[in-house]
Amino acid sequence: MLQEQMKRFVTSLLMIVLVASVVRGEDLEKSRLEMDASSEIVLGRDELNFATKPAYPRLCLMKDGNYILAWQETIPGRSDDNGRYICYALSPDLKTWTPMGRLFSNRKVENVFGQQSERMYSCPEFLNLSDGSLLCVSCFWNLSTYGKIEGRPDNGLALRRSLDNGHSWSEETEIFHGQCWEPFLLEQSDGRIQCYFSEARAWISSANSGTSMVESADGGRTWTPDLNSRPYRVMRKKYWNPAWERYQFTDQMPVGVILDDNGKMAFAMEDVDMGNYSLGIVYSPADGNWEYLQGADAGPEERIDSLSVNATGPYMVKFPTGEVLVTFTRNKGLEWPLIYRIGNSSATSFGPERKAFDRGGWSSACVDSEDTVVLVAPYRGGKLHLARFTLVK
C-alpha cells in the first residue's frame, strides 16, 4: 500500500514538473513559425512609390484593424543604409497598400555653427497608446555636426501623433537632443511612455555608447529629462578596444517587451565587440524601475550574453499566449538571412535558431492575433519582403 502511494506521489510530482516546464516554455525545441504562403508579398516601387532604396521597415497593427508601414529612404551615393527621410503607407489586409508620402521629411537647416546644412531622418518606430492615439518617433541627424559634442541640438528624436489611425499627423515635437539611433517606444501600465534609444556619443566613441531613455508622464506631450539635460542611461555593457586602448560601451538597437504585471522587461540587444556582433538579452529590475547608470557604470547585471553570435538588427515581440519571439539577421555569409528564436514567457529560455526569410537586414515583427505575427524585412533590388506566420507549438 505504501509503495503504491509512493508511486502515485512520484507520478503526480513528475506531472507537475512537466506542466510547469511547459507553462514556463522551457520545452521549446518544437516551437516554430509556419509561414502562410498566401500572405507572402514583395513590395516594390509600384506598390509603395519608393524614390530610393528602402530600409529599416516598421509595421504596426492600428486600433481600427488596419496596418501602417514605415521605412527610411536611403541617401544616394552613401554606402550605408542610413535614412534621409521617412515614408509610410496604409493597408487593410497587408496586400493592398496606399502610399501616404513622407512622415518625417528632410530639410535645409542652419546648424549650431551658423552654417547651412541638412536635417535627415532615420529609424521610425510606432506605438499604439491606450487612449487610442498613435505615436511615431524618428531620430533626426545632421552630418555636419554628428561627430561634435557642440552638435547635440542638431541631432535627436522627434515625435508625431495621429488621432485618426495614420491619416493625419501633428507637427513634430522634439523630445531629445543628442546623437542617437534606433528609438523604441513602450507604454507602462501606469501610463508612462518611455522612449529607449542607442545613445551615440560620437565624440568619445567610434561605436554606440549603450542604451538610454527619456520618458513622459502626460501621454507624450512633455518629456524628462529636458532637452538640455543628458538622458537616463539604463543599459550598457563595457568592452575593451585595444586599438583605442580604452573601454567602450555597447548594448544598442533596443527592442523590448513587458514580461509580467510587476513591470519587469526584457530587451533584445545588438552587441558589438571589435566588429563582432551578437544578440544579447537584458532584463530590467523586477519592478521595471531602472537604476540609472552614472559615469563609467555598466549594467544591469541580469542578462544573457551572446544568445546568438554573428547576429545583428534584433527585434522582439510577445504573443498574447506568453511566448517571446526574437528575430535578427545573421551577419556572416552571402545571404544574411532573417533568423528567429522562440522564448518562454520570462524570456530566459529560447528554442533553436530557425530561418524565416532568405534575406534579412534591419527588420521588424508585428503580432496581429493570439498566435500570428507579421515579419517584414528588406529584400533584393530595393524592395520589402512581408509575410504572416503562425506560431506552432
Side-chain angles (χ1 to χ4, degrees):
M1 182 71 174
L2 182 60
Q3 187 177 13
E4 185 63 30
Q5 288 177 333
M6 181 62 69
K7 183 186 291 186
R8 287 199 298 269
F9 173 76
V10 171
T11 301
S12 298
L13 184 61
L14 288 173
M15 287 299 296
I16 290 171
V17 171
L18 177 61
V19 170
S21 176
V22 172
V23 169
R24 290 195 305 268
E26 293 175 354
D27 185 13
L28 297 164
E29 291 297 314
K30 295 181 181 179
S31 297
R32 69 186 191 279
L33 297 180
E34 191 172 278
M35 183 192 289
D36 174 4
S38 66
S39 71
E40 186 177 18
I41 188 171
V42 174
L43 301 169
R45 190 182 300 265
D46 290 343
E47 294 81 13
L48 296 179
N49 196 29
F50 299 137
T52 63
K53 178 182 176 182
Y56 209 92
R58 291 295 186 260
L59 180 70
C60 178
L61 175 64
M62 298 182 293
K63 298 289 188 179
D64 66 351
N66 292 320
Y67 297 87
I68 184 168
L69 173 67
W71 62 92
Q72 62 194 39
E73 301 216 357
T74 54
I75 304 167
R78 285 181 65 93
S79 59
D80 58 44
D81 283 342
N82 291 331
R84 189 176 186 183
Y85 49 83
I86 307 300
C87 292
Y88 78 111
L90 303 177
S91 174
D93 55 9
L94 300 175
K95 289 288 188 180
T96 304
W97 291 89
T98 301
M100 301 295 290
R102 296 183 185 180
L103 185 49
F104 293 91
S105 187
N106 64 303
R107 61 182 185 273
K108 297 295 182 182
V109 295
E110 185 177 280
N111 67 21
V112 293
F113 302 116
Q115 303 163 336
Q116 286 296 303
S117 59
E118 184 178 7
R119 171 177 282 194
M120 296 179 279
Y121 293 85
S122 287
C123 308
E125 188 64 76
F126 293 110
L127 176 66
N128 285 307
L129 293 185
S130 55
D131 67 5
S133 60
L134 176 70
L135 298 183
C136 186
V137 65
S138 173
C139 64
F140 60 88
W141 61 293
N142 190 308
L143 190 59
S144 69
T145 59
Y146 176 77
K148 300 177 175 62
I149 190 170
E150 300 91 341
R152 292 184 74 247
D154 293 335
N155 301 266
L157 296 170
L159 190 76
R160 298 188 72 181
R161 182 189 305 268
S162 177
L163 302 178
D164 57 6
N165 297 291
H167 289 278
S168 63
W169 295 84
S170 68
E171 295 297 318
E172 288 181 30
T173 300
E174 294 179 8
I175 66 172
F176 170 69
H177 280 172
Q179 290 81 340
C180 61
W181 300 98
E182 300 132 5
F184 179 77
L185 295 165
L186 270 180
E187 184 177 21
Q188 300 292 345
S189 60
D190 61 4
R192 284 177 300 143
I193 301 170
Q194 296 174 326
C195 184
Y196 297 85
F197 54 91
S198 304
E199 186 184 0
R201 289 178 286 164
W203 54 93
I204 64 168
S205 172
S206 61
N208 291 301
S209 300
T211 287
S212 299
M213 183 262 287
V214 294
E215 68 179 3
S216 172
D218 59 4
R221 290 165 181 82
T222 61
W223 293 77
T224 55
D226 62 41
L227 292 176
N228 296 316
S229 302
R230 71 181 187 181
Y232 300 128
R233 291 168 181 155
V234 292
M235 292 176 276
R236 59 188 184 188
K237 184 173 77 172
K238 193 180 296 185
Y239 72 98
W240 178 255
N241 184 336
W244 289 39
E245 296 186 341
R246 70 182 185 195
Y247 284 102
Q248 292 182 191
F249 293 117
T250 186
D251 274 352
Q252 64 243 15
M253 202 174 286
V255 181
V257 297
I258 300 173
L259 296 172
D260 56 38
D261 292 339
N262 295 322
K264 184 168 185 174
M265 295 170 281
F267 282 81
M269 288 287 177
E270 179 186 85
D271 284 339
V272 60
D273 186 346
M274 294 306 296
N276 299 312
Y277 289 83
S278 65
L279 169 68
I281 308 295
V282 181
Y283 305 89
S284 75
D287 61 2
N289 295 315
W290 297 101
E291 296 180 9
Y292 301 141
L293 303 172
Q294 307 294 331
D297 292 347
E301 292 184 0
E302 187 180 1
R303 59 187 302 133
I304 301 174
D305 281 322
S306 301
L307 177 66
S308 288
V309 298
N310 300 326
T312 187
Y315 208 83
M316 178 181 273
V317 292
K318 185 176 182 181
F319 287 97
T321 48
E323 293 84 359
V324 172
L325 172 71
V326 62
T327 66
F328 59 90
T329 295
R330 167 105 321 119
N331 72 323
K332 295 292 183 182
L334 298 176
E335 288 298 320
W336 286 49
L338 183 65
I339 306 295
Y340 70 88
R341 299 182 71 168
I342 297 171
N344 60 3
S345 60
S346 61
T348 54
S349 180
F350 288 82
E353 296 181 1
R354 303 184 190 277
K355 184 169 71 172
F357 291 150
D358 289 334
R359 187 73 176 173
W362 292 324
S363 56
S364 65
C366 169
V367 172
D368 66 346
S369 81
E370 183 173 285
D371 61 355
T372 60
V373 62
V374 183
L375 304 184
V376 57
Y379 195 67
R380 300 178 187 87
K383 299 179 180 181
L384 297 178
H385 191 186
L386 183 150
R388 178 181 285 114
F389 293 77
T390 300
L391 174 63
V392 178
K393 296 180 278 187

